[in-house]
Amino acid sequence: MKITLLLAFLLPQWLMAQKLVESVKSTDNELTIPYQKYVLDNGLTVILHEDNSDPIVHVDVTYHVGSAREELNKSGFAHFFEHMMFQGSEHVADEQHFKMVTESGGTLNGTTNRDRTNYFETVPSNQLEKMLWLEADRMGYFLDAVTQEKFEIQRATVKNEKGQNYDNRPYGQWSEINAKALYPYGHPYSWLTIGILEDLDRVDVNDLKKFFLRWYGPNNATLTIGGDIDVQQTLAWVNKYFGKIPAGPAVENMTLEAPVVDKDRYVSYVDSNIRFPALLLTYPTVPQFHPDAPALECLADIIGQGQDSYFYKKFVLTRKALQASIFSNNSELAGEFTMFVLPFPGTTLGQFEEEMRTALKEFEEAGVKQEDVEKFVASYEAGAIRGLQSVSGKVSKLAYYQTFQGNPNLFGKRLEQYRKLTKEDVLRVYNKYIKGKAAVIQSVLPKGMEQMAAKADNYTVDTTQENPFPTTDYSKVESRKAPKDDFDRNTVPASGKNPAVEVPQLWEMAFDNGIEVIGTESEEIPLVTLRLTIQGGNLMQVDDLKKAGLASMTASMMNEGTENYTAAEFENELEKLGSSISIGSGESSTYVVMTSLEKNLARTLELLEERLMRPKFTEEDFNRIKQQTLESIKASKKQPVAIANEVYGQLLYGEDHIMGLSSSGTVESVSTLTLKDVEDYYSNNYAPQLAQLVVVGSVSKEEITPGLSFLKAWKPTAAKMPAIKLTAPQPSKTKIYFVDKPKAPQSEIRVGYRTDLTYDVEGEYYKVNLVNYPIGGAFNSRINLNLREDKGWTYGARSYFSSGEFTGEFTVSTGVKAAATDSAVVEIMSELEGYYKEGITAEELTFMKNSIGQRDALKYETLGQKAQFLTKIVRYDLSPKFVKKQAKMLKKLKTEEVNALAKKYYDYNKMFIVVVGDKETQLPKLEKLGYEIEEVKVEGEVSTK
């Protein structure tokens, strides 16, 4: 007793200010994420999860405020704060939050949805105290650093985010139209999280400050910390930095009645970025933790997800639609059940509406099989376990359950809820929420196809009615200030001792047929991932451009039926196991990716053998996939991002070179492909001597080897990688290539050229990526800070070097608001010129070395990260020691060497500039910049202006 009193007397008050609420440990009977939960005197909930498997920590601060706490005519505030809270606070200078985390070797971000906002960092474990200092400063000391100038810049950035992710994206506005039509006027779900931009134009910085004071107090937040932590030390830091932050006004959970749609509401809009019309039927359902939510997810899976679903068989298999799917989305206050079809041209949306309703009747008549429910549950369980690979995944789950249920210990209980699903549950929710119920029926129409709408619009929002939803009296919200600390918050916490980072322990073997195998064992979760890479891909057609896209077509066909299973039967077998097998192809390789729970590995390997060794290529599947591919290629001709990438690729490599073409091929090349071409590509080019296999997860070399016997028996072919010659001239002077996208709200910009750099982890290619870091490789790079943070013209801008076996590229990529197109080109070229002439600063060199030098701790955490690392090793015949060699190269890098490489690779006088935007408004301004300009048609035909 005396000892306890003495400690209380000696310790600072902030070490005594938390209350232990509960401690949960792992059990053998139930999947559990262990944690300790505390509550500080100011109401801040603190959850600590100790996981010493990797020397990293993840910090998450979740505020229980999203767009649902906003009001009519005052939308977008929560999302706006997601931007503003990276702009500095009382003790953290402008743009320093990103810089400090990045320089610590970490990653960071923030997200906002309808119901919550979170901010998070993943860093090496020695950086934890600094992260807590940063998060505490923007929680308790943010408002004094908010200025009108910062407000204006971030308002412009949000507008660009809206333009990039909604207005300039195919089908990007459907969710906004849906929300307005589904929810009553004034309901906080009737606008999107990004808000209505006119609302942000109406408010000023003081409105935002009041919103912050109301909702961003510690008593409305959960701080979750997971990873390689010392619990007592972490608690001490939490109390030190967060303990004195005053609580905000009390916050109560919100509940609203579900929206009622009494009759079908038909709405539509025209989208100039699309080729296919779309039809969406949305039914109101239930909130996220409602007992019926799992059954609704299962219902969506059975009717509209996967190759055995009613929608897939009725619309995709019959070649009536490019896509057809259903998804159930449940938020804190309400839910939605949305059916989506992307028909091929030729059928009206009204006809499709009837066919969708017919599909529901067919489902109703056939009923639900318990086997279908079990497949859904198995897939859900596997997905939930996959989410536990990273400490961020575990932390996110703890934060999510605490925020919305007040109980972090729901992972296993939630899983058990899904395991108890029955076919009767699924039929019950179908009858309750879907059958015979009214819906919002939205037609998304390509320009010129306005007559295709399902029916004429019959619903408009009545904005004259009185808003019936609750409002907040912000006039009573008062400013609050923390009492004086017994330490100096201006002092940035020092980093701890650098954690020891070791690359995964590897095992290797080689089969007589040429397959190289590399693996690493990880026992953290009962999951196994295999990645088989077959060299070749689209490059195999380098001498026959008429068959460009054949590798991609073959990979798509490999995902269909096999000799012993139809495509639907094969998918059923995988779903029973919670496993996945997918095959895809890119420019230089075909890849096969398999994931399996440890307990189902043997059976999943049998299915992998079936898919890889016994495909059944049918004319019916081929004709369907060929049509889908052709229509997708044609659709891309309307999409600004795809157009910019296509034109840029053709400039780098030439229109008559395989590397200048999309790996999907062209309309001309795909049109000529035959089933025989696919069969020949598979027989000739799916070859073991071109393959490398990576195995990661909870399986040893000895355990996996017997299951790979089918790969050992794989017979080699005569296939080999072709010789690649590059003949397209690179620019002798900088020139603009302009593509007209009428009325585009944003312009897509690409700047760069083809380099002579091939992939080399210990040579100049590695070094130029270091050189690029300050100019365009990080959030705090010159180009991004200029265009986004200083000007507010873009949601993001970056530059990068990429490379393979034959060549490389340097590229600057961004999308900017239309009015800033010419100015953005000027600024990009100015930054490149400045770097070329003046080189790197001492501060930038230090930042780059610290950032890159400390991020190894984050590289090998998940199975996917380990697989990526091993793929690189086996693909390029590297020693695992290359990581240490790179560290030495980084440490030795001098200003003079950086500047010499900048002179060599950043010649701003010899670059392609591609601009996709509105000709009428942008081309005249670009002509004044003094560059020669060529207008380029979408198809790639060049005509000199």
Side-chain angles (χ1 to χ4, degrees):
M1 185 68 168
K2 293 180 180 178
I3 295 176
T4 303
L5 291 173
L6 180 61
L7 285 174
F9 177 76
L10 292 176
L11 290 175
Q13 186 61 37
W14 44 262
L15 278 178
M16 305 297 295
Q18 86 280 339
K19 173 186 176 184
L20 176 63
V21 176
E22 63 179 343
S23 180
V24 172
K25 297 181 180 180
S26 295
T27 66
D28 295 331
N29 301 325
E30 184 182 78
L31 274 170
T32 303
I33 306 172
Y35 66 89
Q36 294 177 3
K37 176 180 172 181
Y38 300 84
V39 176
L40 304 192
D41 290 345
N42 58 11
L44 178 66
T45 299
V46 181
I47 301 170
L48 304 182
H49 163 69
E50 188 173 2
D51 176 358
N52 308 120
S53 57
D54 294 284
I56 61 175
V57 293
H58 184 81
V59 177
D60 177 290
V61 180
T62 297
Y63 296 91
H64 196 171
V65 56
S67 55
R69 295 293 188 178
E70 298 160 1
E71 301 172 15
L72 189 65
N73 300 321
K74 293 182 180 179
S75 66
F77 283 24
H79 173 261
F80 193 81
F81 268 110
E82 181 199 318
H83 286 254
M84 288 295 294
M85 287 176 73
F86 286 104
Q87 302 308 307
S89 46
E90 184 175 334
H91 308 100
V92 182
D94 294 1
E95 298 163 358
Q96 290 301 297
H97 200 113
F98 263 97
K99 185 176 181 181
M100 284 187 181
V101 177
T102 307
E103 193 169 20
S104 298
T107 60
L108 71 161
N109 211 332
T111 67
T112 311
N113 63 26
R114 291 166 162 176
D115 308 308
R116 64 99 186 101
T117 302
N118 69 341
Y119 301 90
F120 49 89
E121 301 88 15
T122 306
V123 293
S125 54
N126 65 324
Q127 304 293 332
L128 174 57
E129 184 182 4
K130 190 183 298 180
M131 298 307 106
L132 297 176
W133 172 77
L134 282 169
E135 286 294 354
D137 213 62
R138 62 179 168 189
M139 178 185 285
Y141 305 87
F142 169 69
L143 287 184
D144 288 345
V146 175
T147 65
Q148 187 68 30
E149 180 183 8
K150 289 181 182 180
F151 171 79
E152 296 293 345
I153 289 173
Q154 292 309 311
R155 177 157 59 183
T157 301
V158 170
K159 288 182 177 180
N160 282 297
E161 181 180 356
K162 176 70 160 53
Q164 179 176 318
N165 290 341
Y166 297 89
D167 302 338
N168 213 37
R169 175 172 289 180
Y171 310 97
Q173 297 178 46
W174 82 266
S175 54
E176 187 170 22
I177 303 294
N178 237 43
K180 289 180 181 178
L182 182 64
Y183 292 97
Y185 179 65
H187 191 291
Y189 283 3
S190 67
W191 53 80
L192 299 187
T193 301
I194 199 167
I196 299 168
L197 297 188
E198 290 79 6
D199 289 353
L200 284 181
D201 284 335
R202 276 192 289 265
V203 302
D204 61 25
V205 69
N206 292 319
D207 293 309
L208 271 295
K209 287 183 177 181
K210 291 176 181 176
F211 188 83
F212 180 88
L213 287 168
R214 178 65 187 90
W215 302 113
Y216 290 80
N219 53 306
N220 196 35
T222 298
L223 169 64
T224 310
I225 306 165
D228 189 19
I229 64 173
D230 178 292
V231 170
Q232 293 307 312
Q233 177 62 79
T234 302
L235 274 177
W237 285 333
V238 167
N239 276 292
K240 176 179 180 180
Y241 295 114
F242 290 88
K244 288 189 177 181
I245 298 174
V251 177
E252 296 180 357
N253 287 336
M254 183 188 297
T255 56
L256 293 176
E257 292 185 6
V260 176
V261 179
D262 52 1
K263 65 177 182 178
D264 288 334
R265 299 174 180 176
Y266 288 88
V267 294
S268 66
Y269 80 96
V270 176
D271 189 336
S272 62
N273 294 316
I274 64 175
R275 172 176 168 80
F276 307 106
L279 184 64
L280 302 101
L281 277 67
T282 301
Y283 300 83
T285 59
V286 298
Q288 57 193 358
F289 286 100
H290 190 283
D292 288 345
L296 282 162
E297 288 180 44
C298 184
L299 176 67
D301 182 80
I302 293 170
I303 305 177
Q305 295 175 19
Q307 293 180 315
D308 196 34
S309 68
Y310 286 84
F311 269 33
Y312 187 88
K313 289 186 287 190
K314 189 171 185 65
F315 300 121
V316 179
L317 276 184
T318 58
R319 297 168 59 186
K320 293 180 179 180
L322 183 68
Q323 295 177 28
S325 61
I326 298 177
F327 48 93
S328 179
N329 177 45
N330 307 100
S331 301
E332 184 177 18
L333 305 178
E336 298 130 29
F337 189 91
T338 299
M339 305 191 299
F340 167 79
V341 173
L342 206 64
F344 285 121
T347 306
T348 67
L349 294 183
Q351 290 171 299
F352 253 94
E353 180 189 346
E354 292 305 314
E355 294 210 37
M356 291 166 80
R357 295 186 186 280
T358 299
L360 292 180
K361 290 178 182 177
E362 291 172 355
F363 159 77
E364 186 180 336
E365 292 169 359
V368 178
K369 294 179 287 188
Q370 188 62 31
E371 179 188 17
D372 291 332
V373 178
E374 291 169 359
K375 288 187 304 181
F376 166 75
V377 172
S379 294
Y380 176 86
E381 178 180 357
I385 292 173
R386 282 195 294 270
L388 303 182
Q389 293 183 69
S390 65
V391 66
S392 65
K394 287 176 272 193
V395 163
S396 297
K397 281 296 182 186
L398 292 169
Y400 170 70
Y401 290 131
Q402 171 60 36
T403 299
F404 295 113
Q405 293 289 287
N407 179 9
N409 190 27
L410 290 182
F411 184 85
K413 294 179 177 64
R414 187 73 166 162
L415 185 55
E416 192 59 33
Q417 184 181 10
Y418 280 79
R419 287 172 175 161
K420 291 179 179 178
L421 272 178
T422 67
K423 62 181 183 179
E424 288 78 17
D425 292 326
V426 178
L427 283 172
R428 177 178 53 77
V429 297
Y430 169 76
N431 290 320
K432 185 174 182 179
Y433 302 104
I434 310 301
K435 181 182 178 180
K437 301 298 189 261
V440 171
I441 302 168
Q442 181 180 168
S443 302
V444 186
L445 305 167
K447 189 175 182 181
M449 295 188 186
E450 290 80 356
Q451 74 285 357
M452 289 281 293
K455 285 185 182 178
D457 291 7
N458 70 351
Y459 180 80
T460 55
V461 179
D462 181 4
T463 59
T464 63
Q465 61 184 306
E466 185 176 342
N467 177 25
F469 293 93
T471 58
T472 301
D473 184 3
Y474 289 101
S475 65
K476 297 181 180 179
V477 175
E478 297 180 352
S479 179
R480 51 187 184 268
K481 195 75 174 178
K484 185 175 178 59
D485 292 301
D486 52 7
F487 65 95
D488 184 4
R489 284 190 184 263
N490 289 297
T491 302
V492 180
S495 302
K497 182 181 178 182
N498 282 342
V501 180
E502 297 293 335
V503 301
Q505 292 293 314
L506 311 180
W507 55 260
E508 297 180 78
M509 59 181 170
F511 298 157
D512 293 341
N513 56 9
I515 298 179
E516 301 171 84
V517 188
I518 188 171
T520 186
E521 188 174 357
S522 174
E523 296 290 348
E524 287 184 53
I525 59 172
L527 195 69
V528 178
T529 292
L530 269 67
R531 184 179 181 95
L532 180 72
T533 303
I534 306 169
Q535 302 309 314
N538 204 39
L539 290 183
M540 288 299 193
Q541 310 311 134
V542 65
D543 296 322
D544 188 3
L545 297 188
K546 292 181 180 179
K547 288 185 170 56
L550 178 55
S552 179
M553 178 73 73
T554 304
S556 295
M557 290 288 289
M558 292 287 291
N559 289 307
E560 296 296 321
T562 69
E563 291 178 7
N564 296 303
Y565 299 92
T566 66
E569 289 169 345
F570 193 91
E571 185 175 84
N572 282 341
E573 293 299 310
L574 286 173
E575 288 182 346
K576 290 176 187 176
L577 306 169
S579 301
S580 66
I581 299 173
S582 62
I583 301 180
S585 186
E587 179 183 80
S588 60
S589 65
T590 293
Y591 48 88
V592 184
V593 181
M594 186 204 88
T595 63
S596 172
L597 295 176
E598 180 185 2
K599 64 182 180 181
N600 297 326
L601 179 58
R603 175 59 180 149
T604 307
L605 285 171
E606 291 175 358
L607 291 171
L608 177 62
E609 177 183 1
E610 178 74 17
R611 171 143 283 175
L612 186 60
M613 299 301 174
R614 291 184 284 276
K616 186 177 183 180
F617 300 127
T618 68
E619 197 75 43
E620 182 182 5
D621 287 339
F622 174 77
N623 290 334
R624 171 172 45 82
I625 292 172
K626 181 176 179 178
Q627 182 187 16
Q628 291 172 342
T629 303
L630 284 170
E631 295 296 345
S632 295
I633 294 171
K634 293 174 184 176
S636 71
K637 305 297 184 182
K638 290 181 173 289
Q639 301 166 10
V641 172
I643 293 169
N645 292 337
E646 176 185 345
V647 173
Y648 184 61
Q650 290 180 355
L651 290 170
L652 293 180
Y653 298 102
E655 295 177 50
D656 57 352
H657 195 283
I658 194 67
M659 295 181 72
L661 304 177
S662 166
S663 58
S664 297
T666 66
V667 171
E668 293 76 13
S669 67
V670 173
S671 296
T672 65
L673 295 180
T674 66
L675 182 60
K676 179 67 162 54
D677 291 326
V678 170
E679 292 170 341
D680 289 345
Y681 189 95
Y682 170 76
S683 298
N684 295 331
N685 298 321
Y686 277 56
Q689 73 273 15
L690 297 177
Q692 297 95 32
L693 177 66
V694 168
V695 182
V696 295
S698 55
V699 64
S700 67
K701 176 181 179 181
E702 293 71 26
E703 291 169 331
I704 192 68
T705 300
L708 302 179
S709 57
F710 68 97
L711 292 177
K712 286 185 178 181
W714 193 3
K715 300 297 183 185
T717 72
K720 61 180 181 180
M721 286 296 291
I724 303 295
K725 296 180 180 179
L726 301 171
T727 58
Q730 292 307 285
S732 58
K733 63 177 181 180
T734 297
K735 184 189 295 187
I736 294 176
Y737 297 82
F738 187 87
V739 184
D740 184 23
K741 180 62 178 170
K743 309 300 181 184
Q746 283 201 317
S747 297
E748 284 294 324
I749 299 174
R750 305 290 183 271
V751 179
Y753 68 100
R754 193 182 75 233
T755 74
D756 58 359
L757 287 168
T758 55
Y759 188 83
D760 181 2
V761 297
E762 298 176 20
E764 201 157 274
Y765 174 68
Y766 171 67
K767 289 181 180 179
V768 295
N769 278 283
L770 302 178
V771 173
N772 181 68
Y773 202 72
I775 184 72
F779 184 90
N780 283 67
S781 67
R782 295 184 188 185
I783 293 175
N784 191 61
L785 287 184
N786 185 338
L787 269 62
R788 172 177 163 143
E789 298 301 292
D790 296 343
K791 306 292 195 309
W793 292 342
T794 181
Y795 185 47
R798 66 188 186 117
S799 66
Y800 57 90
F801 285 89
S802 58
S803 190
E805 283 184 284
F806 309 104
T807 186
E809 303 167 11
F810 169 72
T811 303
V812 181
S813 175
T814 188
V816 301
K817 68 177 184 178
T821 303
D822 59 325
S823 301
V825 170
V826 170
E827 293 300 322
I828 290 170
M829 300 312 294
S830 176
E831 293 292 358
L832 295 176
E833 179 180 1
Y835 204 49
Y836 175 85
K837 290 181 176 179
E838 300 167 15
I840 196 170
T841 66
E843 182 182 3
E844 287 173 333
L845 182 63
T846 300
F847 170 73
M848 179 260 288
K849 286 188 173 186
N850 288 341
S851 174
I852 295 175
Q854 297 184 88
R855 66 185 183 187
D856 279 352
L858 278 62
K859 282 185 176 180
Y860 319 115
E861 183 189 13
T862 68
L863 297 189
Q865 288 173 315
K866 290 180 173 74
Q868 186 179 28
F869 176 68
L870 268 61
T871 297
K872 187 183 299 182
I873 287 176
V874 69
R875 174 71 183 88
Y876 294 102
D877 193 24
L878 305 176
S879 163
K881 295 180 180 178
F882 83 85
V883 175
K884 293 184 177 180
K885 291 183 179 180
Q886 285 182 338
K888 291 180 180 178
M889 292 169 63
L890 174 65
K891 188 175 182 179
K892 292 180 179 179
L893 194 64
K894 304 294 184 184
T895 300
E896 295 75 17
E897 188 174 8
V898 172
N899 292 346
L901 289 169
K903 285 278 188 185
K904 184 175 180 180
Y905 289 103
Y906 288 86
D907 190 347
Y908 61 98
N909 290 308
K910 297 179 181 180
M911 294 197 181
F912 297 116
I913 302 175
V914 174
V915 179
V916 180
D918 178 52
K919 177 180 177 180
E920 182 179 352
T921 58
Q922 303 311 317
L923 190 56
K925 294 191 289 184
L926 289 169
E927 288 173 333
K928 296 177 182 179
L929 300 185
Y931 297 107
E932 181 182 345
I933 298 179
E934 290 191 15
E935 290 186 56
V936 183
K937 295 182 180 179
V938 173
E939 293 77 14
E941 299 173 10
V942 179
S943 58
T944 304
K945 180 173 174 64

